[in-house]
């Protein structure tokens, strides 16, 4: 089936004061977001990057995978990550979409493929780990657009999980995920400068492997 990859890059990177947009920080020789694009490119014909800083991300269009990349911005700004999810689904050409945050550089393609195999008959397929759900590394269908739009218009501070009761949801338990990704490295995200330092070390190991 045709699937679109959607990268949400609308965060404020508030914990990275002085270092700029964390999606654009270098990880070895490439920006973090390029690591994610390189992982998704072999899987999808279309990759959407949702950002309200279009000028800052135009360089992605000139890279090797650039012809697959399209930049889009929020239609309903100010609703946090739900704004980005809505815009990505709205602009996508596919019924099913793999959605990922811009700070998960070590996503394993096997995890993406497994989530997609579980999407039949469901609108959202989401890893549900012991530490909590992972809505920014999940599969969403376009059937989510209507409930998301309603939530955005009615709620001043909506959360992504607030519309889950209105769609067909498939939770993927941690024991299922660990069969593919034992160390859960796919869910290592960069929330702080300390995480960034750790990511630099991990990136070198990945390149050396």
């Amino acid at each position: 089936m045709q699937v679109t990859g959607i990268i949400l890059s609308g965060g404020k990177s508030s914990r990275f004061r002085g270092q700029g947009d964390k999606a654009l920080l270098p990880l070895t020789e490439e920006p973090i977001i390029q690591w994610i694009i390189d992982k998704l490119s072999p899987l999808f014909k279309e990759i959407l990057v949702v950002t309200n800083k279009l000028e800052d991300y135009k360089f992605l269009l000139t890279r090797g995978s650039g012809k697959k990349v399209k930049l889009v911005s929020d239609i309903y700004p100010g609703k946090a990550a739900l704004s980005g999810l809505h815009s990505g689904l709205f602009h996508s050409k596919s019924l099913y979409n793999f959605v990922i945050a811009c700070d998960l550089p070590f996503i394993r393609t096997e995890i993406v493929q497994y989530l997609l195999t579980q999407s039949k008959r469901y609108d959202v397929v989401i890893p549900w780990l012991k530490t909590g759900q992972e809505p920014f590394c999940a599969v969403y269908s376009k059937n989510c657009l209507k409930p998301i739009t309603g939530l955005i218009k009615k709620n001043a501070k909506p959360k992504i999980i607030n519309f889950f009761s209105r769609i067909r949801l498939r939770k993927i338990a941690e024991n299922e995920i660990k069969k593919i990704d034992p160390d859960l490295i796919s869910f290592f995200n960069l929330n702080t400068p300390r995480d960034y330092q750790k990511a630099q070390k991990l990136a070198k190991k990945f390149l050396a492997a």
Side-chain angles (χ1 to χ4, degrees):
M1 62 182 177
Q2 181 176 328
V3 181
T4 293
I6 299 174
I7 304 173
L8 304 183
S9 190
K12 296 181 180 179
S13 302
S14 56
R15 297 187 218 179
F16 282 78
R17 292 176 181 174
Q19 296 190 53
D21 189 338
K22 63 181 175 181
L24 302 179
L25 292 176
L27 201 55
T28 62
E29 297 181 357
E30 296 285 356
I32 291 170
I33 195 168
Q34 187 65 53
W35 275 66
I36 301 173
I37 291 172
D38 290 345
K39 292 288 185 65
L40 301 188
S41 289
L43 303 179
F44 309 125
K45 292 183 179 180
E46 177 184 55
I47 297 174
L48 303 182
V49 175
V50 185
T51 175
N52 291 321
K53 301 175 182 177
L54 297 177
E55 286 296 324
D56 292 347
Y57 286 80
K58 279 188 175 179
F59 74 95
L60 295 173
L61 306 179
T62 62
R63 300 210 162 195
S65 54
K67 55 187 175 183
K68 288 189 174 186
V69 176
K70 180 180 179 182
L71 306 179
V72 298
S73 54
D74 292 343
I75 298 170
Y76 294 101
K79 301 295 183 177
L82 200 62
S83 294
L85 177 58
H86 173 273
S87 181
L89 294 178
F90 179 86
H91 289 286
S92 170
K93 298 176 182 177
S94 308
L95 174 60
Y96 288 99
N97 305 268
F98 176 71
V99 177
I100 185 169
C102 67
D103 60 353
L104 295 170
F106 306 119
I107 179 66
R108 294 185 59 174
T109 55
E110 296 91 344
I111 289 292
V112 179
Q113 291 169 321
Y114 180 71
L115 295 177
L116 290 171
T117 64
Q118 304 300 304
S119 62
K120 189 175 182 180
R121 300 190 301 274
Y122 294 99
D123 297 311
V124 175
V125 179
I126 179 173
W128 211 274
L129 309 182
K130 293 177 181 178
T131 53
Q133 67 275 4
E134 295 287 344
F136 307 125
C137 182
V139 176
Y140 294 84
S141 82
K142 268 188 173 277
N143 295 330
C144 297
L145 265 176
K146 185 175 180 180
I148 289 175
T149 303
L151 183 61
I152 284 175
K153 291 182 177 179
K154 292 179 181 179
N155 196 316
K157 296 182 178 180
K159 296 180 180 179
I160 285 184
I161 61 172
N162 290 158
F163 77 90
F164 284 178
S165 62
R166 299 184 57 190
I167 49 84
R168 298 168 296 172
L169 178 67
R170 167 80 160 94
K171 298 178 182 180
I172 308 295
E174 184 172 306
N175 65 321
E176 289 183 70
I177 296 293
K178 280 191 169 182
K179 291 177 182 177
I180 306 169
D181 187 356
D183 298 322
L184 301 178
I185 191 66
S186 295
F187 306 96
F188 177 86
N189 64 332
L190 286 77
N191 285 321
T192 65
R194 187 174 181 178
D195 293 334
Y196 179 45
Q197 292 175 358
K198 185 176 180 180
Q200 294 283 16
K201 296 178 181 178
L202 287 170
K204 291 178 182 178
K205 290 182 179 179
F206 268 76
L207 292 175

